[in-house]
Amino acid sequence: MHAKRTHTFFPRVGRRCAFALAAALLPLGAQAAEPVPMPDTLEWTVPFGVGGGTDVWARFMSHWMGEALPSHPTIVIDNVPGGGSITGTNLFSARADADGSQMLVTSASTQFPAMLDDPRVRYDYAKWTPIIAAPTGGVIYAQPGYGKDTDTILAALRESPTKFAMQTPTGLEMPVLLAFDLLGLKVEPVFGMRSRGEGRLAFERGEAGVDFQTTSAYFSNVAPLVEAGKAVPLFSLGVMNADNVIERDPAFPDLPTFSELYLAQPGHSRDDIAYQVFHKFFASGYALQKLLLVPKDTPPALIKAYRQAAATLPEREDFLTAARNQVGPYTPVVGEVAAKQLDSAMQLSDVRRQWVIDWLKSRYGVRVATR
C-alpha cells in the first residue's frame, strides 16, 4: 500500500535573490568561493495526515519561516501519513536531497520509535540537523469525585483503580502512564483511542477517571470543564530549563509537576533509572515536541540562513502572540541549542531501553518489538 501524499503550496510573498545572503554568511576568506543559492521552493515532509497537531504546527511555522527568510521561498507541505509517522519519515530518510530544498517535520511519535529501536524505523536523527524546535506542556486532570486538590486525589487514586484512555503504549502518552505508575496510582490504561480528543470524550462520559491533554488542547477543551466543576487539574509535566532540569510550566505555575511529586517521595532521586527514563522521553517528546530538520549534508551556508531566520521569530511580538494561541507560552528552541538538546534526548542507553521494554511487559502485558 502506498502512503497517501497531500501537497499544499504556500506562495511567495515576494522573492529576492539569495546569492548575496549566502555569500554574506560565509567567512571573509571564503567569500571568493561560489555562493550557494537558496532554493526557490522548500518542501516540508509532514509524516502525518492533514489536520493533526503536527500538520497544524507545520502550516503555522511555514507561514512565519517563509516571511523570515529574505528570499521568501515557496513552501510546500507534503503530508505522507502512515505507521504513526514512521512511513513518511523512512521515505524522507531514503529520498531527501541535501541541497537545502528538503525539510522534515517530526513529533514525539517519530522520536519514540527511534529511541526504542523499533524494527520498522529506517531513519537516524544523527543524520539530520535541527533548525527550530517547539516545546509543549501538558496537564493531567481527574474526575471531581476523587477530591478537590492534588494531595486528596493522589491518595484516592492510590486506593481506587480507574481508567485512562490512551492511543498506544509507546506513543505520546507513555511518559504520562509512567508518571502514574511511579506515583503509585492504580491507573489502568485502555489502548486504542484514535486521538487525545477521543480520550477526553471518554473522560467526559465518565468512562475514564483521569485524562491528559497538551497545553493548547487543555486551554481550549479542558479549562471549561474545570470552570464548570467537571474536572480537577492534578499536576503538569513541567518544562525543561537550559540546564535540562524540569521545572514548573509557566502556563500552569500553580500546579506541581510530576517531578516535584515524584522527588518528594521518600527514597526517590533523579538518579533513579525510572526517573531517568521519564526524563529522556519527556525531553524528546515534550521539550522538543515538534522539530524542523534538514539533512546533515545540507550546505552550511543554507543551514545558517535557515537558523538565522528561525532565530528572529522569538523576537517578533506578532509571532509570539500567534504562537501563544497555537501552542502555549513556550519559547522556540533554535539552532545549536536545539541540536544539543536533541542529541542528549535521543541517547537512550541499552539499559534504559531494556528497562522500558521490561516495564511495559511486566506492568501492562505490552510486548515491544525491537531490533
Side-chain angles (χ1 to χ4, degrees):
M1 180 179 292
H2 295 287
K4 182 180 180 181
R5 304 170 72 95
T6 304
H7 301 273
T8 303
F9 292 83
F10 290 80
R12 300 184 202 93
V13 294
R15 186 174 77 233
R16 296 189 293 275
C17 179
F19 285 88
L21 169 65
L25 295 172
L26 294 172
L28 290 177
Q31 295 257 344
E34 188 171 337
V36 179
M38 184 173 291
D40 290 340
T41 300
L42 306 180
E43 182 176 313
W44 289 16
T45 295
V46 178
F48 299 89
V50 175
T54 305
D55 175 69
V56 170
W57 184 82
R59 291 168 190 275
F60 171 78
M61 287 302 303
S62 66
H63 165 76
W64 293 96
M65 282 294 291
E67 276 198 357
L69 287 165
S71 61
H72 302 308
T74 297
I75 297 179
V76 180
I77 301 295
D78 185 11
N79 295 92
V80 191
S85 82
I86 292 176
T87 301
T89 309
N90 282 343
L91 288 171
F92 179 89
S93 179
R95 301 177 182 177
D97 293 326
D99 61 358
S101 68
Q102 305 287 305
M103 298 185 176
L104 174 69
V105 180
T106 68
S107 186
S109 300
T110 323
Q111 276 91 264
F112 287 2
M115 294 171 70
L116 291 171
D117 273 351
D118 189 312
R120 299 172 298 165
V121 169
R122 298 288 182 267
Y123 51 85
D124 183 355
Y125 274 79
K127 296 181 179 179
W128 300 327
T129 296
I131 303 301
I132 188 170
T136 191
V139 173
I140 291 81
Y141 52 99
Q143 296 286 358
Y146 290 110
K148 302 300 181 185
D149 60 79
T150 296
D151 290 341
T152 302
I153 296 172
L154 289 177
L157 292 175
R158 290 186 177 109
E159 299 295 330
S160 303
T162 192
K163 303 292 185 183
F164 173 45
M166 293 181 60
Q167 292 173 270
T168 67
T170 56
L172 179 66
E173 307 111 320
M174 185 177 70
V176 178
L177 186 62
L178 181 57
F180 289 146
D181 199 35
L182 296 185
L183 292 176
L185 309 184
K186 293 184 177 181
V187 174
E188 301 172 359
V190 178
F191 303 119
M193 300 297 110
R194 289 172 294 183
S195 67
R196 285 304 325 135
E198 199 169 86
R200 188 196 77 249
L201 292 176
F203 176 89
E204 291 187 42
R205 291 192 298 266
E207 297 166 2
V210 292
D211 191 43
F212 160 78
Q213 297 292 330
T214 55
T215 299
S216 58
Y218 181 88
F219 282 138
S220 60
N221 297 312
V222 182
L225 298 178
V226 174
E227 293 174 5
K230 298 179 180 179
V232 180
L234 191 53
F235 58 88
S236 80
L237 294 181
V239 295
M240 193 86 78
N241 67 20
D243 297 319
N244 286 337
V245 174
I246 297 173
E247 58 187 15
R248 288 208 174 189
D249 190 326
F252 311 101
D254 297 328
L255 277 183
T257 66
F258 157 72
S259 295
E260 289 177 59
L261 297 172
Y262 177 79
L263 296 173
Q265 297 179 112
H268 290 173
S269 77
R270 289 187 172 87
D271 295 329
D272 298 343
I273 188 171
Y275 182 78
Q276 291 173 357
V277 166
F278 171 86
H279 193 280
K280 282 289 185 182
F281 282 94
F282 173 82
S284 67
Y286 292 87
L288 300 169
Q289 202 205 33
K290 309 297 182 190
L291 280 161
L292 178 64
L293 306 128
V294 295
K296 193 170 286 292
D297 293 336
T298 297
L302 292 182
I303 292 176
K304 186 173 183 179
Y306 297 146
R307 285 178 164 182
Q308 285 181 336
T312 66
L313 297 180
E315 301 171 356
R316 296 180 54 171
E317 190 56 42
D318 54 350
F319 169 81
L320 293 176
T321 298
R324 275 193 291 269
N325 294 332
Q326 187 78 30
V327 295
Y330 307 111
T331 302
V333 185
V334 179
E336 284 303 314
V337 176
K340 290 177 181 178
Q341 289 190 8
L342 178 62
D343 182 60
S344 175
M346 296 300 292
Q347 291 182 9
L348 188 68
S349 69
D350 291 341
V351 171
R352 290 168 179 163
R353 184 179 301 107
Q354 192 60 50
W355 188 94
V356 176
I357 293 169
D358 293 343
W359 168 69
L360 286 170
K361 181 180 177 182
S362 62
R363 185 70 177 84
Y364 302 106
V366 173
R367 295 180 181 270
V368 177
T370 61
R371 292 190 183 91

PDB file of all heavy atoms in Angstrom, residues 78-109:
ATOM      1  N   ASP A  78       4.061  18.567   2.335  1.00  0.00           N
ATOM      2  CA  ASP A  78       3.845  17.250   1.728  1.00  0.00           C
ATOM      3  C   ASP A  78       3.470  16.272   2.839  1.00  0.00           C
ATOM      4  O   ASP A  78       4.339  15.788   3.562  1.00  0.00           O
ATOM      5  CB  ASP A  78       5.110  16.801   1.005  1.00  0.00           C
ATOM      6  CG  ASP A  78       4.933  15.487   0.251  1.00  0.00           C
ATOM      7  OD1 ASP A  78       3.776  15.038   0.124  1.00  0.00           O
ATOM      8  OD2 ASP A  78       5.940  14.925  -0.207  1.00  0.00           O
ATOM      9  N   ASN A  79       2.173  15.984   2.977  1.00  0.00           N
ATOM     10  CA  ASN A  79       1.692  15.050   4.001  1.00  0.00           C
ATOM     11  C   ASN A  79       1.867  13.617   3.518  1.00  0.00           C
ATOM     12  O   ASN A  79       1.336  13.240   2.470  1.00  0.00           O
ATOM     13  CB  ASN A  79       0.220  15.306   4.322  1.00  0.00           C
ATOM     14  CG  ASN A  79      -0.013  16.657   4.956  1.00  0.00           C
ATOM     15  OD1 ASN A  79      -0.280  17.639   4.255  1.00  0.00           O
ATOM     16  ND2 ASN A  79       0.083  16.727   6.277  1.00  0.00           N
ATOM     17  N   VAL A  80       2.627  12.828   4.288  1.00  0.00           N
ATOM     18  CA  VAL A  80       2.858  11.419   3.948  1.00  0.00           C
ATOM     19  C   VAL A  80       2.580  10.587   5.200  1.00  0.00           C
ATOM     20  O   VAL A  80       3.493  10.157   5.898  1.00  0.00           O
ATOM     21  CB  VAL A  80       4.300  11.175   3.453  1.00  0.00           C
ATOM     22  CG1 VAL A  80       4.424   9.772   2.859  1.00  0.00           C
ATOM     23  CG2 VAL A  80       4.718  12.218   2.436  1.00  0.00           C
ATOM     24  N   PRO A  81       1.301  10.362   5.530  1.00  0.00           N
ATOM     25  CA  PRO A  81       0.967   9.647   6.765  1.00  0.00           C
ATOM     26  C   PRO A  81       1.179   8.145   6.644  1.00  0.00           C
ATOM     27  O   PRO A  81       1.335   7.607   5.545  1.00  0.00           O
ATOM     28  CB  PRO A  81      -0.516   9.981   6.960  1.00  0.00           C
ATOM     29  CG  PRO A  81      -1.033  10.178   5.566  1.00  0.00           C
ATOM     30  CD  PRO A  81       0.091  10.817   4.806  1.00  0.00           C
ATOM     31  N   GLY A  82       1.169   7.496   7.803  1.00  0.00           N
ATOM     32  CA  GLY A  82       1.271   6.039   7.838  1.00  0.00           C
ATOM     33  C   GLY A  82       2.232   5.570   8.904  1.00  0.00           C
ATOM     34  O   GLY A  82       3.274   6.181   9.142  1.00  0.00           O
ATOM     35  N   GLY A  83       1.861   4.483   9.573  1.00  0.00           N
ATOM     36  CA  GLY A  83       2.751   3.885  10.560  1.00  0.00           C
ATOM     37  C   GLY A  83       3.049   4.775  11.736  1.00  0.00           C
ATOM     38  O   GLY A  83       4.130   4.672  12.331  1.00  0.00           O
ATOM     39  N   GLY A  84       2.109   5.656  12.083  1.00  0.00           N
ATOM     40  CA  GLY A  84       2.355   6.550  13.208  1.00  0.00           C
ATOM     41  C   GLY A  84       3.482   7.520  12.950  1.00  0.00           C
ATOM     42  O   GLY A  84       4.171   7.942  13.881  1.00  0.00           O
ATOM     43  N   SER A  85       3.711   7.881  11.705  1.00  0.00           N
ATOM     44  CA  SER A  85       4.720   8.812  11.198  1.00  0.00           C
ATOM     45  C   SER A  85       5.978   8.103  10.711  1.00  0.00           C
ATOM     46  O   SER A  85       6.848   8.735  10.106  1.00  0.00           O
ATOM     47  CB  SER A  85       5.113   9.886  12.222  1.00  0.00           C
ATOM     48  OG  SER A  85       6.074   9.424  13.156  1.00  0.00           O
ATOM     49  N   ILE A  86       6.102   6.799  10.918  1.00  0.00           N
ATOM     50  CA  ILE A  86       7.304   6.078  10.512  1.00  0.00           C
ATOM     51  C   ILE A  86       7.409   5.990   8.985  1.00  0.00           C
ATOM     52  O   ILE A  86       8.489   6.141   8.412  1.00  0.00           O
ATOM     53  CB  ILE A  86       7.335   4.677  11.148  1.00  0.00           C
ATOM     54  CG1 ILE A  86       7.538   4.799  12.663  1.00  0.00           C
ATOM     55  CG2 ILE A  86       8.431   3.818  10.535  1.00  0.00           C
ATOM     56  CD1 ILE A  86       7.493   3.477  13.402  1.00  0.00           C
ATOM     57  N   THR A  87       6.279   5.776   8.301  1.00  0.00           N
ATOM     58  CA  THR A  87       6.286   5.603   6.847  1.00  0.00           C
ATOM     59  C   THR A  87       6.889   6.811   6.135  1.00  0.00           C
ATOM     60  O   THR A  87       7.832   6.692   5.351  1.00  0.00           O
ATOM     61  CB  THR A  87       4.865   5.343   6.327  1.00  0.00           C
ATOM     62  OG1 THR A  87       4.346   4.168   6.941  1.00  0.00           O
ATOM     63  CG2 THR A  87       4.869   5.172   4.809  1.00  0.00           C
ATOM     64  N   GLY A  88       6.344   7.979   6.405  1.00  0.00           N
ATOM     65  CA  GLY A  88       6.813   9.186   5.733  1.00  0.00           C
ATOM     66  C   GLY A  88       8.240   9.549   6.118  1.00  0.00           C
ATOM     67  O   GLY A  88       9.007  10.062   5.287  1.00  0.00           O
ATOM     68  N   THR A  89       8.600   9.289   7.364  1.00  0.00           N
ATOM     69  CA  THR A  89       9.954   9.607   7.813  1.00  0.00           C
ATOM     70  C   THR A  89      10.969   8.684   7.154  1.00  0.00           C
ATOM     71  O   THR A  89      12.068   9.110   6.777  1.00  0.00           O
ATOM     72  CB  THR A  89      10.048   9.513   9.350  1.00  0.00           C
ATOM     73  OG1 THR A  89       8.987  10.286   9.934  1.00  0.00           O
ATOM     74  CG2 THR A  89      11.375  10.057   9.845  1.00  0.00           C
ATOM     75  N   ASN A  90      10.626   7.401   7.019  1.00  0.00           N
ATOM     76  CA  ASN A  90      11.503   6.477   6.295  1.00  0.00           C
ATOM     77  C   ASN A  90      11.712   6.939   4.851  1.00  0.00           C
ATOM     78  O   ASN A  90      12.832   6.889   4.321  1.00  0.00           O
ATOM     79  CB  ASN A  90      10.903   5.068   6.294  1.00  0.00           C
ATOM     80  CG  ASN A  90      11.113   4.332   7.600  1.00  0.00           C
ATOM     81  OD1 ASN A  90      11.960   4.698   8.416  1.00  0.00           O
ATOM     82  ND2 ASN A  90      10.343   3.274   7.818  1.00  0.00           N
ATOM     83  N   LEU A  91      10.637   7.380   4.198  1.00  0.00           N
ATOM     84  CA  LEU A  91      10.744   7.848   2.820  1.00  0.00           C
ATOM     85  C   LEU A  91      11.638   9.071   2.730  1.00  0.00           C
ATOM     86  O   LEU A  91      12.477   9.179   1.824  1.00  0.00           O
ATOM     87  CB  LEU A  91       9.353   8.155   2.255  1.00  0.00           C
ATOM     88  CG  LEU A  91       8.463   6.958   1.949  1.00  0.00           C
ATOM     89  CD1 LEU A  91       7.050   7.414   1.601  1.00  0.00           C
ATOM     90  CD2 LEU A  91       9.047   6.136   0.807  1.00  0.00           C
ATOM     91  N   PHE A  92      11.466  10.009   3.657  1.00  0.00           N
ATOM     92  CA  PHE A  92      12.314  11.205   3.659  1.00  0.00           C
ATOM     93  C   PHE A  92      13.773  10.811   3.833  1.00  0.00           C
ATOM     94  O   PHE A  92      14.662  11.317   3.132  1.00  0.00           O
ATOM     95  CB  PHE A  92      11.888  12.154   4.776  1.00  0.00           C
ATOM     96  CG  PHE A  92      12.719  13.409   4.860  1.00  0.00           C
ATOM     97  CD1 PHE A  92      12.363  14.532   4.132  1.00  0.00           C
ATOM     98  CD2 PHE A  92      13.860  13.461   5.658  1.00  0.00           C
ATOM     99  CE1 PHE A  92      13.132  15.694   4.191  1.00  0.00           C
ATOM    100  CE2 PHE A  92      14.635  14.611   5.727  1.00  0.00           C
ATOM    101  CZ  PHE A  92      14.264  15.724   4.984  1.00  0.00           C
ATOM    102  N   SER A  93      14.040   9.916   4.777  1.00  0.00           N
ATOM    103  CA  SER A  93      15.406   9.497   5.057  1.00  0.00           C
ATOM    104  C   SER A  93      16.063   8.878   3.824  1.00  0.00           C
ATOM    105  O   SER A  93      17.252   9.106   3.557  1.00  0.00           O
ATOM    106  CB  SER A  93      15.418   8.493   6.208  1.00  0.00           C
ATOM    107  OG  SER A  93      16.725   8.046   6.495  1.00  0.00           O
ATOM    108  N   ALA A  94      15.284   8.133   3.044  1.00  0.00           N
ATOM    109  CA  ALA A  94      15.839   7.438   1.884  1.00  0.00           C
ATOM    110  C   ALA A  94      15.967   8.328   0.654  1.00  0.00           C
ATOM    111  O   ALA A  94      16.865   8.115  -0.171  1.00  0.00           O
ATOM    112  CB  ALA A  94      14.967   6.229   1.548  1.00  0.00           C
ATOM    113  N   ARG A  95      15.099   9.340   0.532  1.00  0.00           N
ATOM    114  CA  ARG A  95      14.993  10.049  -0.746  1.00  0.00           C
ATOM    115  C   ARG A  95      15.351  11.528  -0.702  1.00  0.00           C
ATOM    116  O   ARG A  95      15.582  12.135  -1.755  1.00  0.00           O
ATOM    117  CB  ARG A  95      13.561   9.921  -1.279  1.00  0.00           C
ATOM    118  CG  ARG A  95      13.113   8.493  -1.503  1.00  0.00           C
ATOM    119  CD  ARG A  95      11.658   8.468  -1.948  1.00  0.00           C
ATOM    120  NE  ARG A  95      11.173   7.102  -2.136  1.00  0.00           N
ATOM    121  CZ  ARG A  95       9.926   6.793  -2.472  1.00  0.00           C
ATOM    122  NH1 ARG A  95       9.038   7.769  -2.663  1.00  0.00           N
ATOM    123  NH2 ARG A  95       9.571   5.529  -2.606  1.00  0.00           N
ATOM    124  N   ALA A  96      15.404  12.141   0.462  1.00  0.00           N
ATOM    125  CA  ALA A  96      15.561  13.599   0.525  1.00  0.00           C
ATOM    126  C   ALA A  96      16.916  14.047  -0.015  1.00  0.00           C
ATOM    127  O   ALA A  96      17.955  13.447   0.280  1.00  0.00           O
ATOM    128  CB  ALA A  96      15.398  14.083   1.963  1.00  0.00           C
ATOM    129  N   ASP A  97      16.895  15.100  -0.824  1.00  0.00           N
ATOM    130  CA  ASP A  97      18.126  15.720  -1.307  1.00  0.00           C
ATOM    131  C   ASP A  97      18.714  16.613  -0.216  1.00  0.00           C
ATOM    132  O   ASP A  97      17.973  17.178   0.604  1.00  0.00           O
ATOM    133  CB  ASP A  97      17.843  16.562  -2.549  1.00  0.00           C
ATOM    134  CG  ASP A  97      17.420  15.708  -3.740  1.00  0.00           C
ATOM    135  OD1 ASP A  97      17.936  14.576  -3.851  1.00  0.00           O
ATOM    136  OD2 ASP A  97      16.583  16.180  -4.538  1.00  0.00           O
ATOM    137  N   ALA A  98      20.029  16.750  -0.239  1.00  0.00           N
ATOM    138  CA  ALA A  98      20.704  17.610   0.746  1.00  0.00           C
ATOM    139  C   ALA A  98      21.102  18.937   0.113  1.00  0.00           C
ATOM    140  O   ALA A  98      22.154  19.496   0.417  1.00  0.00           O
ATOM    141  CB  ALA A  98      21.937  16.896   1.302  1.00  0.00           C
ATOM    142  N   ASP A  99      20.221  19.459  -0.766  1.00  0.00           N
ATOM    143  CA  ASP A  99      20.520  20.720  -1.438  1.00  0.00           C
ATOM    144  C   ASP A  99      19.866  21.915  -0.759  1.00  0.00           C
ATOM    145  O   ASP A  99      19.904  23.032  -1.277  1.00  0.00           O
ATOM    146  CB  ASP A  99      20.068  20.656  -2.901  1.00  0.00           C
ATOM    147  CG  ASP A  99      18.566  20.421  -3.046  1.00  0.00           C
ATOM    148  OD1 ASP A  99      17.877  20.267  -2.012  1.00  0.00           O
ATOM    149  OD2 ASP A  99      18.073  20.370  -4.200  1.00  0.00           O
ATOM    150  N   GLY A 100      19.235  21.665   0.407  1.00  0.00           N
ATOM    151  CA  GLY A 100      18.591  22.750   1.140  1.00  0.00           C
ATOM    152  C   GLY A 100      17.119  22.891   0.846  1.00  0.00           C
ATOM    153  O   GLY A 100      16.438  23.674   1.510  1.00  0.00           O
ATOM    154  N   SER A 101      16.627  22.136  -0.134  1.00  0.00           N
ATOM    155  CA  SER A 101      15.218  22.273  -0.508  1.00  0.00           C
ATOM    156  C   SER A 101      14.308  21.321   0.252  1.00  0.00           C
ATOM    157  O   SER A 101      13.090  21.449   0.198  1.00  0.00           O
ATOM    158  CB  SER A 101      15.048  22.024  -2.011  1.00  0.00           C
ATOM    159  OG  SER A 101      15.311  20.652  -2.323  1.00  0.00           O
ATOM    160  N   GLN A 102      14.897  20.329   0.945  1.00  0.00           N
ATOM    161  CA  GLN A 102      14.116  19.284   1.594  1.00  0.00           C
ATOM    162  C   GLN A 102      14.194  19.422   3.113  1.00  0.00           C
ATOM    163  O   GLN A 102      15.281  19.493   3.689  1.00  0.00           O
ATOM    164  CB  GLN A 102      14.653  17.910   1.193  1.00  0.00           C
ATOM    165  CG  GLN A 102      14.714  17.678  -0.306  1.00  0.00           C
ATOM    166  CD  GLN A 102      13.344  17.484  -0.908  1.00  0.00           C
ATOM    167  OE1 GLN A 102      12.579  16.626  -0.482  1.00  0.00           O
ATOM    168  NE2 GLN A 102      13.018  18.289  -1.907  1.00  0.00           N
ATOM    169  N   MET A 103      13.028  19.454   3.776  1.00  0.00           N
ATOM    170  CA  MET A 103      12.951  19.551   5.228  1.00  0.00           C
ATOM    171  C   MET A 103      11.938  18.543   5.744  1.00  0.00           C
ATOM    172  O   MET A 103      11.031  18.125   5.014  1.00  0.00           O
ATOM    173  CB  MET A 103      12.572  20.966   5.667  1.00  0.00           C
ATOM    174  CG  MET A 103      13.573  22.035   5.261  1.00  0.00           C
ATOM    175  SD  MET A 103      13.157  23.663   5.939  1.00  0.00           S
ATOM    176  CE  MET A 103      14.578  24.617   5.390  1.00  0.00           C
ATOM    177  N   LEU A 104      12.095  18.181   7.014  1.00  0.00           N
ATOM    178  CA  LEU A 104      11.221  17.194   7.649  1.00  0.00           C
ATOM    179  C   LEU A 104      10.679  17.767   8.950  1.00  0.00           C
ATOM    180  O   LEU A 104      11.422  18.397   9.714  1.00  0.00           O
ATOM    181  CB  LEU A 104      12.011  15.917   7.950  1.00  0.00           C
ATOM    182  CG  LEU A 104      11.299  14.827   8.750  1.00  0.00           C
ATOM    183  CD1 LEU A 104      10.179  14.191   7.924  1.00  0.00           C
ATOM    184  CD2 LEU A 104      12.299  13.757   9.191  1.00  0.00           C
ATOM    185  N   VAL A 105       9.400  17.536   9.197  1.00  0.00           N
ATOM    186  CA  VAL A 105       8.777  17.929  10.454  1.00  0.00           C
ATOM    187  C   VAL A 105       8.443  16.663  11.238  1.00  0.00           C
ATOM    188  O   VAL A 105       7.754  15.781  10.729  1.00  0.00           O
ATOM    189  CB  VAL A 105       7.497  18.762  10.212  1.00  0.00           C
ATOM    190  CG1 VAL A 105       6.862  19.172  11.542  1.00  0.00           C
ATOM    191  CG2 VAL A 105       7.818  20.000   9.379  1.00  0.00           C
ATOM    192  N   THR A 106       8.943  16.563  12.459  1.00  0.00           N
ATOM    193  CA  THR A 106       8.690  15.365  13.268  1.00  0.00           C
ATOM    194  C   THR A 106       8.054  15.729  14.596  1.00  0.00           C
ATOM    195  O   THR A 106       7.980  16.895  14.978  1.00  0.00           O
ATOM    196  CB  THR A 106       9.987  14.573  13.536  1.00  0.00           C
ATOM    197  OG1 THR A 106      10.842  15.335  14.412  1.00  0.00           O
ATOM    198  CG2 THR A 106      10.716  14.269  12.253  1.00  0.00           C
ATOM    199  N   SER A 107       7.611  14.686  15.301  1.00  0.00           N
ATOM    200  CA  SER A 107       6.961  14.867  16.591  1.00  0.00           C
ATOM    201  C   SER A 107       7.377  13.720  17.505  1.00  0.00           C
ATOM    202  O   SER A 107       8.196  12.867  17.147  1.00  0.00           O
ATOM    203  CB  SER A 107       5.441  14.890  16.414  1.00  0.00           C
ATOM    204  OG  SER A 107       4.787  15.200  17.635  1.00  0.00           O
ATOM    205  N   ALA A 108       6.808  13.705  18.709  1.00  0.00           N
ATOM    206  CA  ALA A 108       7.128  12.652  19.673  1.00  0.00           C
ATOM    207  C   ALA A 108       6.888  11.273  19.085  1.00  0.00           C
ATOM    208  O   ALA A 108       7.647  10.329  19.355  1.00  0.00           O
ATOM    209  CB  ALA A 108       6.289  12.841  20.934  1.00  0.00           C
ATOM    210  N   SER A 109       5.853  11.134  18.264  1.00  0.00           N
ATOM    211  CA  SER A 109       5.522   9.844  17.672  1.00  0.00           C
ATOM    212  C   SER A 109       6.589   9.363  16.701  1.00  0.00           C
ATOM    213  O   SER A 109       6.608   8.185  16.334  1.00  0.00           O
ATOM    214  CB  SER A 109       4.180   9.931  16.934  1.00  0.00           C
ATOM    215  OG  SER A 109       3.150  10.288  17.820  1.00  0.00           O
TER     216      SER A 109
END
